[in-house]
Amino acid sequence: RRRTPCFLCGAVVPASPRTLPRRGSLMPAREGNAAAEEPAAGDDETMMPRWKPGDRVYAVWAGNGCHYAATVAEVQFDKRMLTVTWDDNDGSHRTVSFDQVMEPSEDTKAWETARIDRRVSVRDTPEKGRCLYTNEACEPGHIVFVEKPTLVALPAAAQKLWEHLQKLHEAQPLNLGTVTFHFAALMSQLKLDPMSIEIIMDKFVPEPDEEPGEDVVRILQSLQENLPEFMNSGPPLDPRRLQRLVSAWRYNSFGHHKEDGLVLYNRISMCAHSCDPSCCWSYGDDDAFVLRARVALKAGDELTISYLQDEDLLKSTAVRQQKLQNWRFTCACQRCRLPVDVGRGFRCRRCRLGILNATVEGTLHPCGVCCASPSQEDMQMLLHLEEEYVLRVENLDKKDVEDVETVYQAAIDIFERHWILYVMDTMLWEAYREKNLPDAMEHQRRRIDFHEHYYCRPTFILAWCHEELGDCLHHLYPHRKWQFYMEFQRAYQMLAILCGTNHQYTASPYNKLWQASNPGAGNGNTAAAAQGGDRDVNTPLSLCWAVGAVASAVRACVCVRVMTTRMCLCACVLVCVHARVNGGAVAVSCRRRPRSAPPGVRRASARAARARAHVFERGALGHRGHRPRRAPPAPESAAGAAVRSAPAWSRGAR
């Protein structure tokens, strides 16, 4: 029989779908009281790890039993122990056994340029200029390539220069609303070799012959007067050249995921935007950019990413188009060309059962239940109400729960499957998850329903919604194993596509799957975790890591026909090999200060945008950061349109 590609990920149903990997193929770190697995006699020489001081590893921090990035400081082969230096300079639990150490994943190491060039190619297109294409087929979740940055421009690299620019900005705000672009341009001149500078100069800018702006002239004059040592440290700074560098950074750089700075890549900057992107990304070692296929790709397919946040992809076409004007182009992707915007639903005023969806022409589509078309008067009234509610929702204070509830109660009588309801469902979920789980779960289900209705691709938001809903179900209805197991499974499958099986985000739902399948396996506290200080036994957070490499991935897609609509459930099954068990019971997390998270994507901090609160089985809260972002801000002042510190490029002619 012919097998239809999955609508969710584009993969074809395999002949014999497999299930999730068994626990033996993906294990958490070895616990302090677990029996050590010794090599066979006579194998000591061949099996003994040959680490040396200075090697990069991921080692278990005994405070919570999770892996963290570290550098080997000392090796004791007789005791099979390592002394490591944690990347965040924490001084506790520095001695670990060989069984608690794993090599950095290949998924996080930057590739050589020649290898990247074999995998992808840049082509000139008449509509969008230079764009990036894959030379090989890729399955969902597979790595397309991993690229090291051309330059990472952080304030710590030139603190004196950064502070000087900040003072200039405070005295008279720059037109871009931030000093990061000018700082990065100056750092390019200061740190890079001529070839790397030419790479940046070759990036797209809307106006290649742009005259130096007043900000560039003012900065150069101030540097000449106050920091002459900087001006004289290299070749003379040409104002026109500096303006070109500023624009190149503005339209081609990413916001740094840890600090207030920018990162620029060579090949990644050729990726075009799409509101239905074919790729997703995360960060690896040393700020490497890990690009993965979000959907099944064939050789010759274009590689696209989203310049917008995940939550922006769930808003209407008009809102997305407005946000993309910061990059000075109009998106013409498949989603934006749809004649009907199914994210703008209105209740049918005749039958009160069906939905009237808005069209791009400014009209309403006939009801899907009673087939009635609204009158011109009703149509104008509904569209006018939509404008008022959009403005009202944008000005809501999510801490004022009573006000949000009032607006929500009024809106559900007018709208159905509308993105503004999703925004308010998010606010109410966040408000109720600590004090009223049943109500919070209802809003979470509504969020998931709208996400899958409007944008069915895997996103971090959707994956975490499923995982959080599973946590709530596990807490309230522990006897409904099938229900919360399904939520954890969906979260795992999506995160495996978005950031790989070795990532801490993916390990969290997988560990909960294992606990659900093996009751009592993770209830004991270990001796290692007991030494972690002021732990919170009500917060069973655990991270499991594969000891071996991931050998293959099998995708199972089950298509179910519901009336005339084909709904695809995508089950991404990842099979791990080299499963030497390093495990034991699951460790509990302890309330210590946040540590840098492996492999390269940090946990949430004070400046992480919209830090995600994670509800655990007993209601305690932890936090996890969002994916790296690439999105511009709204204009901040009359001095000029401000651009957030995570910009990208325009899609005009390159």
Side-chain angles (χ1 to χ4, degrees):
R1 295 175 59 184
R2 181 183 177 186
R3 295 189 288 271
T4 305
C6 172
F7 180 70
L8 189 66
C9 70
V12 178
V13 182
S16 56
R18 300 184 182 179
T19 57
L20 286 169
R22 297 179 62 86
R23 184 64 168 182
S25 62
L26 186 63
M27 294 295 297
R30 178 181 297 276
E31 311 254 343
N33 64 350
E37 196 176 295
E38 298 295 338
D43 291 345
D44 288 345
E45 291 299 322
T46 58
M47 296 297 293
M48 180 72 72
R50 295 300 181 184
W51 288 297
K52 61 183 183 298
D55 285 352
R56 296 284 297 163
V57 296
Y58 288 114
V60 173
W61 184 66
N64 60 7
C66 301
H67 282 92
Y68 293 99
T71 302
V72 177
E74 182 183 355
V75 184
Q76 304 175 38
F77 288 105
D78 54 337
K79 299 181 180 179
R80 294 179 58 83
M81 303 289 286
L82 289 180
T83 301
V84 299
T85 301
W86 303 112
D87 279 8
D88 60 358
N89 296 320
D90 186 276
S92 61
H93 307 298
R94 293 184 56 204
T95 302
V96 296
S97 68
F98 285 175
D99 296 325
Q100 295 176 314
V101 180
M102 68 179 185
E103 299 289 345
S105 172
E106 290 295 327
D107 294 357
T108 64
K109 290 183 178 179
W111 293 9
E112 296 294 332
T113 303
R115 184 182 178 187
I116 296 176
D117 290 341
R118 289 194 298 270
R119 178 63 66 89
V120 300
S121 58
V122 179
R123 303 178 192 173
D124 202 1
T125 63
E127 299 86 7
K128 298 187 295 186
R130 292 179 295 179
C131 296
L132 200 62
Y133 293 82
T134 178
N135 296 330
E136 302 176 12
C138 290
E139 290 297 314
H142 283 193
I143 291 179
V144 182
F145 63 87
V146 185
E147 184 180 24
K148 66 180 180 181
T150 301
L151 179 64
V152 180
L154 300 179
Q159 192 66 40
K160 192 174 181 181
L161 175 61
W162 175 265
E163 292 174 354
H164 182 75
L165 293 178
Q166 288 285 17
K167 291 179 181 178
L168 287 177
H169 182 54
E170 292 171 2
Q172 180 181 340
L174 302 180
N175 288 329
L176 293 180
T178 177
V179 303
T180 52
F181 302 116
H182 295 85
F183 175 78
L186 291 168
M187 289 298 296
S188 303
Q189 285 287 129
L190 184 65
K191 297 288 187 180
L192 295 181
D193 58 84
M195 183 177 297
S196 298
I197 294 177
E198 288 304 316
I199 289 177
I200 299 178
M201 293 286 290
D202 184 55
K203 299 305 175 189
F204 166 79
V205 295
E207 301 176 26
D209 300 324
E210 183 180 5
E211 293 293 328
E214 59 177 352
D215 289 338
V216 168
V217 175
R218 181 162 66 99
I219 288 173
L220 289 178
Q221 182 178 357
S222 178
L223 291 176
Q224 187 65 52
E225 295 173 356
N226 300 282
L227 293 177
E229 66 278 9
F230 173 80
M231 297 293 292
N232 299 329
S233 60
L237 289 176
D238 177 45
R240 184 185 294 271
R241 183 180 179 87
L242 182 60
Q243 181 64 56
R244 177 64 181 266
L245 288 172
V246 170
S247 297
W249 277 93
R250 177 183 177 183
Y251 290 102
N252 296 273
S253 63
F254 289 77
H256 195 267
H257 60 289
K258 291 184 179 180
E259 302 181 43
D260 188 12
L262 298 175
V263 191
L264 190 142
Y265 303 88
N266 184 19
R267 284 290 179 265
I268 292 299
S269 64
M270 298 297 175
C271 278
H273 164 82
S274 173
C275 296
D276 184 15
S278 62
C279 298
C280 51
W281 81 87
S282 60
Y283 286 122
D285 295 340
D286 300 322
D287 299 305
F289 192 103
V290 183
L291 188 71
R292 295 180 183 272
R294 189 192 296 258
V295 298
L297 298 173
K298 301 185 295 294
D301 284 351
E302 184 181 359
L303 302 175
T304 58
I305 60 176
S306 172
Y307 299 176
L308 303 175
Q309 298 272 24
D310 278 355
E311 55 264 29
D312 292 330
L313 294 178
L314 301 177
K315 295 180 179 177
S316 68
T317 303
V319 173
R320 298 198 309 269
Q321 297 282 14
Q322 181 182 10
K323 289 180 176 291
L324 289 169
Q325 290 305 310
N326 288 276
W327 289 281
R328 298 168 66 175
F329 73 93
T330 300
C331 182
C333 69
Q334 185 175 1
R335 282 187 73 195
C336 291
R337 293 199 306 266
L338 292 174
V340 178
D341 192 343
V342 294
R344 296 171 59 199
F346 301 81
R347 285 189 181 275
C348 177
R349 295 180 60 81
R350 179 166 298 181
C351 69
R352 306 299 295 173
L353 297 174
I355 300 176
L356 309 172
N357 289 120
T359 66
V360 294
E361 290 85 8
T363 61
L364 296 181
H365 203 263
C367 174
V369 174
C370 67
C371 299
S373 297
S375 64
Q376 188 67 25
E377 182 181 357
D378 286 347
M379 188 183 306
Q380 294 300 325
M381 180 194 67
L382 290 174
L383 293 176
H384 179 69
L385 282 174
E386 181 188 34
E387 295 177 0
E388 293 183 346
Y389 269 93
V390 168
L391 183 61
R392 182 73 169 88
V393 170
E394 288 177 349
N395 293 319
L396 279 176
D397 180 6
K398 65 179 181 180
K399 295 181 180 179
D400 189 351
V401 181
E402 185 177 353
D403 187 36
V404 177
E405 277 281 13
T406 301
V407 178
Y408 187 80
Q409 290 289 346
I412 59 177
D413 191 51
I414 302 172
F415 306 104
E416 179 66 28
R417 286 190 169 177
H418 197 291
W419 67 269
I420 62 172
L421 293 179
Y422 170 85
V423 172
M424 288 188 283
D425 278 320
T426 303
M427 294 179 182
L428 294 173
W429 150 255
E430 293 175 353
Y432 290 143
R433 62 184 173 187
E434 297 183 46
K435 56 186 180 182
N436 190 341
L437 274 185
D439 285 359
M441 288 170 57
E442 179 59 30
H443 290 293
Q444 189 77 318
R445 286 192 180 98
R446 288 174 176 267
R447 294 179 68 203
I448 293 174
D449 178 69
F450 177 80
H451 195 308
E452 293 177 343
H453 159 75
Y454 191 42
Y455 184 58
C456 64
R457 307 289 191 201
T459 67
F460 284 97
I461 288 179
L462 184 56
W464 286 336
C465 280
H466 281 297
E467 186 178 357
E468 288 166 337
L469 183 57
D471 289 329
C472 296
L473 290 167
H474 193 194
H475 173 68
L476 289 181
Y477 311 109
H479 60 283
R480 296 185 185 176
K481 176 181 174 181
W482 63 270
Q483 195 171 9
F484 60 76
Y485 187 94
M486 181 174 61
E487 299 300 330
F488 292 146
Q489 187 180 56
R490 287 175 176 173
Y492 169 79
Q493 291 158 354
M494 290 184 185
L495 291 170
I497 291 177
L498 296 170
C499 52
T501 56
N502 285 343
H503 199 280
Q504 63 163 0
Y505 292 175
T506 312
S508 176
Y510 180 86
N511 210 43
K512 294 170 185 177
L513 279 171
W514 168 247
Q515 288 177 323
S517 301
N518 300 269
N523 294 333
N525 296 337
T526 67
Q531 301 173 3
D534 53 341
R535 72 187 180 201
D536 181 2
V537 296
N538 290 326
T539 308
L541 173 62
S542 56
L543 297 177
C544 52
W545 294 93
V547 178
V550 177
S552 63
V554 180
R555 304 293 187 270
C557 307
V558 181
C559 296
V560 182
R561 287 191 176 274
V562 180
M563 296 179 66
T564 58
T565 303
R566 180 182 304 153
M567 302 178 64
C568 297
L569 306 177
C570 181
C572 304
V573 186
L574 295 100
V575 181
C576 303
V577 297
H578 190 61
R580 182 184 178 192
V581 176
N582 269 354
V586 177
V588 297
S589 73
C590 52
R591 287 180 176 173
R592 295 181 56 87
R593 62 184 178 83
R595 301 172 56 86
S596 57
V601 179
R602 64 174 182 139
R603 294 186 180 181
S605 67
R607 61 178 301 276
R610 297 173 179 252
R612 170 185 171 272
H614 191 114
V615 179
F616 297 103
E617 67 177 9
R618 293 182 178 87
L621 294 179
H623 294 282
R624 179 162 55 190
H626 277 264
R627 71 172 178 84
R629 58 184 173 82
R630 181 176 188 150
E636 295 180 350
S637 67
V643 179
R644 190 178 299 176
S645 61
W649 55 92
S650 170
R651 296 312 312 165
R654 291 181 177 271

